[in-house]
Amino acid sequence: MAVDGTAGRVTRRRLRTRANLLEAAFTVFAAKGFGHVSIEEVCEAAGYTRGAFYSNFAGLDELFFALYAERAELIAEQVAAALAQDGPDLDVPAAVDRVTEVLLLDRDWLLVKTDFLVYAARDPRVARSLLEHRARLRRAIADRLARARGHTGLPAVLGHTGDTEAAAHAVIAAYDGVTTQLLLDRDVERARAWLKQLLTALLTA
């Protein structure tokens, strides 16, 4: 019994260490960029030794991917939850408001995400993983729009019957465009308003 209790404490401590390393890495990556960060800097920011780092991650590449995967999964879950609040009828303006609040997040995340995009563009293996995460977010949007079929019309420009996959692609493209602008002008409120306008125009028949 004591052994089980000790193992449980070790597991919890390791999970806490991993979470702290990810949180510290997020701050350091956002400030300096992935290619300009060392393991020592992450360890210093988290308050751990290199040994603690290597007990959780094989290197910075693995840490970077784990950080992106964690945040991307969270966003996909939040978007799915935001879209699930209505019944069969989709209140487009209300849904856009909820999704916009979830998607726009903060500039530090956008900096890390952009670093990851550039990193993935040079590594086919990482690119496949990135595409899978983007596909999950797109599916969350497409599935919700599909549930509204027959209750809420989509614009004809998205297909003869208002194709939900096309609409989901358009939503992601609008988000990508708005966040690129946000990285440059740093105007969060303007970006939020612009994204709401774009999504409402895209999804309103």
Side-chain angles (χ1 to χ4, degrees):
M1 191 71 171
V3 173
D4 289 344
T6 301
R9 286 195 297 274
V10 170
T11 300
R12 286 194 297 272
R13 185 165 64 247
R14 181 168 183 176
L15 288 173
R16 190 163 56 248
T17 298
R18 180 183 175 87
N20 289 341
L21 283 166
L22 287 169
E23 184 178 353
F26 177 79
T27 301
V28 178
F29 286 146
K32 302 188 68 174
F34 172 65
H36 302 283
V37 173
S38 67
I39 290 174
E40 287 77 13
E41 287 174 304
V42 173
C43 291
E44 182 179 352
Y48 292 116
T49 64
R50 285 175 65 93
F53 179 94
Y54 283 115
S55 70
N56 287 276
F57 302 103
L60 281 177
D61 282 11
E62 184 179 324
L63 170 63
F64 192 50
F65 184 79
L67 176 63
Y68 179 86
E70 178 185 76
R71 300 280 172 142
E73 289 293 318
L74 176 62
I75 292 169
E77 290 169 4
Q78 289 175 330
V79 168
L83 288 171
Q85 292 183 30
D86 294 319
D89 291 325
L90 180 64
D91 183 342
V92 171
V96 165
D97 282 345
R98 293 195 300 269
V99 170
T100 300
E101 293 304 319
V102 171
L103 275 179
L104 202 51
L105 297 181
D106 58 61
R107 191 169 180 273
D108 283 349
W109 162 244
L110 298 178
L111 286 168
V112 172
K113 187 176 77 119
T114 302
D115 267 355
F116 194 82
L117 177 62
V118 174
Y119 177 56
R122 294 189 173 95
D123 187 326
R125 177 186 58 84
V126 179
R128 284 193 296 273
S129 297
L130 177 57
L131 287 171
E132 288 171 6
H133 283 291
R134 287 173 66 86
R136 180 178 175 190
L137 179 58
R138 193 171 61 249
R139 281 196 302 273
I141 297 169
D143 289 349
R144 179 60 188 92
L145 293 175
R147 285 200 294 117
R149 195 190 300 276
H151 300 273
T152 303
L154 292 174
V157 71
L158 296 172
H160 294 301
T161 59
D163 182 59
T164 55
E165 282 292 327
H169 273 283
V171 168
I172 300 300
Y175 172 61
D176 287 341
V178 168
T179 53
T180 297
Q181 183 67 27
L182 174 59
L183 283 173
L184 299 176
D185 66 20
R186 301 170 183 250
D187 191 336
V188 176
E189 292 308 312
R190 181 183 177 190
R192 181 179 292 113
W194 185 25
L195 184 58
K196 286 181 180 180
Q197 290 171 358
L198 283 173
L199 295 184
T200 301
L202 282 169
L203 299 176
T204 302

